[in-house]
Amino acid sequence: MDDTDSAILTHLQRDARLTNRELARKVGIAPSTCLERVRALRARGVITGYHAAVQPRLLGRSLQALVFARLRPLSREVIYDFESYLTQLPEVVSVFVVSGDDDFLVHVAVPDIEHLHAFLMDRFSARREVVSFRSSVIYRQSGTRVLAPMETS
């Protein structure tokens, strides 16, 4: 990963709709070189896809929450099955398998508190492997959409 690759990634993360010609101009390289580098970044798995950022509230999902869950028995099969189950649910935004007191952290987006309660009671607690869970409502979310390579020493 060199400075040119980093610049390409920065611009694509800010606006994945850039044409190859626009991207090449912003980075200061020839369009053919830019196309070759983008293809190489995809082939290496650095670029895994392109998406549109959306506003959950405008999609009828005004309430977001983080749900922390503990599972038992804890095994590879149980973890994979539960993860697969969660990723199929329309309320689920992201699933994280984590260490510490909890085994899963699940980001959900729903219309309101009643839907969150129904999700927790009907979809989460209905699973035998879930021995406990807790949820925290998200009041505000911030972060960066642009990741740069980090130097390791």
Side-chain angles (χ1 to χ4, degrees), residues 3-146:
D3 290 343
T4 301
D5 286 340
S6 293
I8 289 170
L9 290 174
T10 296
H11 288 293
L12 284 177
Q13 287 178 90
R14 286 190 180 128
D15 184 1
R17 293 177 43 148
L18 288 172
T19 65
N20 184 64
R21 188 173 304 282
E22 291 170 322
L23 181 59
R25 184 183 50 73
K26 287 179 178 279
V27 176
I29 58 177
S32 58
T33 303
C34 186
L35 185 58
E36 184 179 307
R37 284 187 174 252
V38 170
R39 285 180 176 158
L41 288 166
R42 281 199 313 253
R44 291 186 359 231
V46 176
I47 296 174
T48 58
Y50 302 90
H51 74 279
V54 298
Q55 178 57 256
R57 183 180 49 78
L58 298 177
L59 298 176
R61 295 166 180 258
S62 298
L63 182 71
Q64 294 185 67
L66 298 175
V67 181
F68 305 85
R70 297 177 80 189
L71 308 183
R72 296 295 178 268
L74 205 52
S75 70
R76 192 176 299 270
E77 181 182 349
V78 169
I79 289 171
Y80 287 149
D81 286 349
F82 190 63
E83 182 180 20
S84 177
Y85 166 74
L86 291 173
T87 59
Q88 302 305 310
L89 299 177
E91 299 90 348
V92 173
V93 176
S94 299
V95 176
F96 303 91
V97 179
V98 298
S99 65
D101 291 338
D102 299 302
D103 302 309
F104 278 82
L105 171 59
V106 184
H107 178 190
V108 299
V110 293
D112 51 38
I113 197 74
E114 289 80 16
H115 281 86
L116 176 61
H117 184 256
F119 171 79
L120 294 172
M121 295 299 105
D122 300 337
R123 301 255 173 104
F124 231 79
S125 66
R127 298 288 298 209
R128 288 180 313 195
E129 65 269 34
V130 176
V131 294
S132 68
F133 66 89
R134 59 191 167 85
S135 61
S136 294
V137 170
I138 298 172
Y139 293 125
R140 184 173 40 238
Q141 179 181 5
S142 60
T144 181
R145 296 204 191 283
V146 178

